[in-house]
Amino acid sequence: MQDFLLRERQGVISERLRLNGRVLATELALEFGVSEDTVRRDLREMAAAGLCERVYGGALPISPAHGSLTQRIGFAADRKQALARAAATQIAAGSTVFFDAGSTNLAIANALPAELALTAATNAPAIAAALIDKPAVNVILIGGMVDRQTGGSLGAKALRDMEQISPDLCILGACGVDLEAGITVFGFEDAEFKRFATSRSKRVLVAATSEKFGTAAPHSILPVAHCECLVVEHDADPAILARYRERGCRTVLAEKTN
């Protein structure tokens, strides 16, 4: 009977996540007539099974940003290109920019105008290859062991290389973006490198497809208040964007795709 009730509660929690985008332990405890400890235990079990991501006070849907870089490049390519064109307008001539690994960030590198002069650093060989074709861009490649999942160099060598750079702008890759959970990613080493890269940078920009908003991954990078600019899709909810702006994030809308 207890196992049945557990499965029943978890089924309701999954449905609430699908419909509402988040759940709160206090509300679920009242609804189920159980203690908050019981609900938190349910959420821990669901998180361990990859069904949700635990956050303070409740849970969020798991970020959809799974798969290798090669797999992610093919997902929503036209929407990422629209984000890339909008993000490219935020890059100042003559600046030093760090391009974090990621499929959307690769699209941004490809979208840079050929005449835009800047110094670009990246830990992603694919992004470095795209930037090499830009005659006005000086390219610095962050070295180390390349992680196949992220497509970027991580670990001690990458951190040492990053220590030598003080970017004007960090174009940060993200798996999940949420007002409370902040900017999150799946990999522990990836998170460590991203945190250090943002700490070295004057400004942080995140460009993300709509699926990533209101979701979370296990490892936190920074609060949304520390992200100076969010580049979002053309149909992003204005009310939600207003809440990001209240936290100090400037929002830039991409153009509608065909």
Side-chain angles (χ1 to χ4, degrees), residues 20-24 27 56 60 177-183 213-215 223-230 232 236-253:
N20 303 327
R22 66 174 61 237
V23 293
L24 296 175
E27 293 179 355
Y56 181 77
L60 290 172
V177 181
D178 181 73
L179 282 161
E180 304 306 327
I183 312 300
F213 282 85
T215 72
V224 293
H226 295 173
C227 180
E228 190 270 337
C229 181
L230 281 174
V232 301
D237 187 330
I240 294 176
L241 293 185
R243 295 180 65 191
Y244 280 97
R245 288 193 292 272
E246 289 171 359
R247 302 288 179 92
C249 297
R250 190 165 51 86
T251 58
V252 176
L253 286 178

Side-chain angles (χ1 to χ4, degrees), residues 63-105:
S63 166
H66 290 285
S68 67
L69 177 62
T70 301
Q71 292 168 329
R72 297 196 310 276
I73 287 172
F75 173 76
D78 56 340
R79 290 157 54 203
K80 289 177 182 177
Q81 288 166 10
L83 288 171
R85 290 190 293 270
T89 67
Q90 305 301 304
I91 299 174
S95 60
T96 297
V97 181
F98 173 69
F99 288 78
D100 188 22
S103 56
T104 303
N105 292 351

Side-chain angles (χ1 to χ4, degrees), residues 9 15 18 41 52 79 108 111 114 128 143 146-147 154 180 186 189 199 203 208 221 223 247 249 253-254:
R9 288 197 305 270
E15 182 66 8
R18 186 184 69 81
R41 186 164 59 249
C52 69
R79 290 157 54 203
I108 296 171
V146 176
D147 177 76
L154 303 175
E180 304 306 327
F186 283 103
E189 291 291 344
S199 75
R203 297 169 50 228
I221 309 303
R247 302 288 179 92
C249 297
L253 286 178

Side-chain angles (χ1 to χ4, degrees), residues 2-211:
Q2 186 174 2
D3 287 344
F4 171 76
L5 291 175
L6 171 61
R7 291 196 300 273
E8 191 175 57
R9 288 197 305 270
Q10 292 186 352
V12 172
I13 291 170
S14 295
E15 182 66 8
R16 295 285 188 278
L17 284 169
R18 186 184 69 81
L19 292 174
N20 303 327
R22 66 174 61 237
V23 293
L24 296 175
T26 52
E27 293 179 355
L28 291 172
L30 286 172
E31 180 178 351
F32 297 147
V34 298
S35 69
E36 287 187 40
D37 284 342
T38 297
V39 172
R40 283 193 286 266
R41 186 164 59 249
D42 289 349
L43 295 177
R44 283 196 299 271
E45 291 183 8
M46 292 179 68
L51 301 176
C52 69
E53 187 60 48
R54 288 280 287 119
V55 295
Y56 181 77
L60 290 172
I62 200 82
S63 166
H66 290 285
S68 67
L69 177 62
T70 301
Q71 292 168 329
R72 297 196 310 276
I73 287 172
F75 173 76
D78 56 340
R79 290 157 54 203
K80 289 177 182 177
Q81 288 166 10
L83 288 171
R85 290 190 293 270
T89 67
Q90 305 301 304
I91 299 174
S95 60
T96 297
V97 181
F98 173 69
F99 288 78
D100 188 22
S103 56
T104 303
N105 292 351
L106 174 59
I108 296 171
N110 282 316
L112 291 181
E115 69 279 5
L116 182 62
L118 57 90
T119 297
T122 182
N123 63 330
I127 292 177
L131 292 169
I132 284 292
D133 289 336
K134 309 288 182 179
V137 178
N138 296 317
V139 182
I140 300 170
L141 180 59
I142 304 294
M145 181 74 74
V146 176
D147 177 76
R148 286 185 172 85
Q149 195 74 9
T150 64
S153 296
L154 303 175
K157 176 64 166 60
L159 290 169
R160 285 198 302 271
D161 286 357
M162 192 70 218
E163 195 172 20
Q164 308 306 312
I165 306 168
S166 297
D168 298 299
L169 176 66
C170 170
I171 300 178
L172 180 67
C175 296
V177 181
D178 181 73
L179 282 161
E180 304 306 327
I183 312 300
T184 56
V185 291
F186 283 103
F188 175 83
E189 291 291 344
D190 189 28
E192 182 71 16
F193 179 80
K194 290 177 192 295
R195 279 192 294 269
F196 187 68
T198 59
S199 75
R200 299 287 304 167
S201 304
K202 295 175 185 174
R203 297 169 50 228
V204 176
L205 177 150
V206 171
T209 52
S210 297
E211 294 87 356

